[in-house]
Amino acid sequence: MPNARKKSNYTKKDLRAVSDNPELTKADFAKARPFSEVFPDLSASIRKGRGPNKAPTKKLVSLRLSPEVVEHFKSTGPGWQSRIDETLRKAVKRKAS
């Protein structure tokens, strides 16, 4: 996978010359406090992830599939795992009929 970072043609000297913020020192970091301590109300209002499902509708499993199957479903775009689930559910229903 290629490196996602772009190289700029600016040097550190260029960036220091236009920076309004001084470089932080070890002493500055030693005085730093956690975000949740400085802004407790804001911290409490920020949602932290999805959290546990109240009623999980699916079961987490590890499954090995052939590369062709994975590539086929991935090529159809986002939601490919749900489409695999849908295809398997249809197969189960056909088999049960």
Side-chain angles (χ1 to χ4, degrees):
M1 179 175 241
N3 190 349
R5 279 203 254 173
K6 290 184 177 180
K7 272 289 215 185
S8 71
N9 293 327
Y10 298 109
T11 65
K12 287 184 180 183
K13 183 179 176 182
D14 294 330
L15 295 175
R16 279 193 305 272
V18 297
S19 175
D20 292 339
N21 298 325
E23 190 170 332
L24 296 175
T25 64
K26 287 184 179 184
D28 294 324
F29 282 106
K31 289 189 289 184
R33 297 184 323 191
F35 178 83
S36 59
E37 185 180 307
V38 178
F39 302 104
D41 296 334
L42 183 58
S43 177
S45 71
I46 295 173
R47 186 174 177 199
K48 297 182 180 183
R50 290 177 61 181
N53 289 334
K54 290 182 182 175
T57 58
K58 295 185 179 179
K59 189 171 187 174
L60 179 63
V61 297
S62 177
L63 179 67
R64 293 181 183 270
L65 301 171
S66 67
E68 296 84 13
V69 170
V70 174
E71 287 306 313
H72 168 76
F73 282 95
K74 276 189 172 184
S75 70
T76 59
W80 62 273
Q81 292 169 321
S82 295
R83 283 190 295 280
I84 290 175
D85 180 58
E86 181 183 344
T87 303
L88 290 172
R89 275 189 280 119
K90 286 179 183 176
V92 168
K93 285 180 184 176
R94 269 197 314 262
K95 185 86 169 176
S97 299

